[in-house]
Amino acid sequence: MSSSQPRPVYRVAPLGELRAYTISEEELHELARGGDLSLDLNFSVALLSVFATILATFLTVPLEGTVFTGFLTVGTVTLIAGVYLLIKGIRNYRSTNLLVQTIKNRLPPAEGIQEHTLIEEPS
């Protein structure tokens, strides 16, 4: 940085307490691996929505022949894939949440702050 450029100004909002947690490399890898969670849940919601649409079509429109077979096949595949991804997403969420709680529980509870009170002597 040259001397003619002004230095950047950093403003930090004060915190009541700043907690820093140390984690192992294995835990870091597991947290990074948990990134598929939202992708699994998003695809699950999309597939289950397609299944709901196909189910509504089955219940309202009479289908025959190859159209019936196609709707039945797509409906079955979307139901199975949607439920699988939903279960996988929930398991990943619980696993990641449990890991984060384990890391947070390593920190001992904060020490209490003793207040000083003034006791007035009776006159």
Side-chain angles (χ1 to χ4, degrees):
M1 186 183 312
S2 71
S3 61
S4 65
Q5 293 180 347
R7 300 185 119 206
V9 176
Y10 296 104
R11 294 182 57 193
V12 179
L15 294 172
E17 179 180 70
L18 177 64
R19 297 178 183 180
Y21 299 94
T22 55
I23 62 172
S24 68
E25 192 168 337
E26 178 184 320
E27 292 167 335
L28 185 62
H29 285 301
E30 190 169 336
L31 283 173
R33 190 173 43 103
D36 298 345
L37 171 66
S38 67
L39 191 61
D40 289 341
L41 291 178
N42 285 339
F43 274 112
S44 171
V45 168
L47 290 170
L48 292 175
S49 297
V50 170
F51 171 73
T53 303
I54 290 173
L55 182 64
T57 303
F58 264 130
L59 296 175
T60 57
V61 178
L63 301 172
E64 298 174 1
T66 57
V67 174
F68 175 80
T69 305
F71 269 78
L72 183 63
T73 304
V74 172
T76 305
V77 168
T78 56
L79 176 64
I80 292 170
V83 169
Y84 169 74
L85 289 175
L86 181 65
I87 291 170
K88 183 180 172 194
I90 290 172
R91 282 181 46 201
N92 284 343
Y93 173 75
R94 287 185 181 163
S95 166
T96 304
N97 196 22
L98 181 63
L99 177 62
V100 169
Q101 286 302 322
T102 303
I103 293 169
K104 283 185 173 184
N105 288 338
R106 286 186 198 147
L107 187 68
E111 296 179 12
I113 300 173
Q114 186 169 356
E115 294 183 16
H116 299 285
T117 58
L118 296 175
I119 300 174
E120 294 183 20
E121 295 182 15
S123 36

